[in-house]
Amino acid sequence: MPRSRPGSRPGPRERRLGRAVRRAVAGVLVLAAAAGCGNAGELEGAGPTPTAVGPARLWPELTPASSPAFEIGEVNTEPVKGVRVPADGDIRRVDPVRIVQAEIDANPGDYAADKAPYRDTDRRMADCAAGPGRGKCPVLRPYYRDLTGDGRDDLTLGFRLLPGKTTAVRVYTVDQRRLMQVMAWEDALSGVELAGRSLVIRSPSEVAGYEYRLQWTWDRDQRAMLLTHDEMLRTGPRGHSRHPSASRSTSPSVSPSASRSTSPSPSVSPSASGG
């Protein structure tokens, strides 16, 4: 239907078209109601709609903070030492196993000591001769996608932190023939996905029927993958109560930074481009 200009009244032709469209829509709704009368799936009332409540600013007398209270490492970038990038800058030609080994070598306290938390990861690196994702190699299959928008592939890599059940997730790019780590996270994973220029990690929650969902997105100013979304979402069936208690005014709240339970190894979205 033609749209009138802002601030003007519709002309006779527009009004006639509008009435015709409304009559056609009304006819369709009547036929649909008649056809579905008495059958499952017919229209039902959704019940009373809650009244919209506008936002309320709390403690307006407080002076807005100008600096963070805690250093949480929002921008996590560092060059990977000991790993050479080919002259053409093709990250696909960089050995993923060598990248993980470089991180192990740089953090012996986490991997090499007899009581190191990830000692079995170091021991199983010897099983990676056939490549990542093979046999008992802790390095998972690499995935390649342009996350930085420069037209070249970047590397998303995961490796198991053994003997526990957590997994490390890393993103690497090439900057002036240097391999740069632009994102790092460790957690118990229930799923990993690449979507556009973002990496989404799903992790189980201690609260039944909920999961954590974290999203990192490339930021060209910081030249890093920044944590742009951190949320707790329902995954299980929603419980219904016919008589909710009036005293329950709040829902359970759990910080995403709280300790998290374990789950099987991550699954990766088929939309990602494998190596």
Side-chain angles (χ1 to χ4, degrees), residues 23-108:
R23 284 196 297 269
V25 171
V28 170
L29 291 177
V30 170
L31 290 174
C37 182
N39 295 331
E42 62 185 2
L43 296 177
E44 297 180 0
T49 303
T51 304
V53 179
R57 184 182 176 188
L58 306 185
W59 306 299
E61 69 277 7
L62 292 179
T63 302
S66 59
S67 60
F70 307 102
E71 178 65 37
I72 61 176
E74 291 94 340
V75 180
N76 189 347
T77 63
E78 61 178 291
V80 180
K81 298 180 180 179
V83 178
R84 299 183 61 181
V85 176
D88 61 1
D90 186 359
I91 201 169
R92 288 177 174 264
R93 297 175 57 192
V94 180
D95 183 7
V97 174
R98 182 69 192 92
I99 296 174
V100 176
Q101 188 62 58
E103 178 168 335
I104 292 175
D105 294 343
N107 300 275

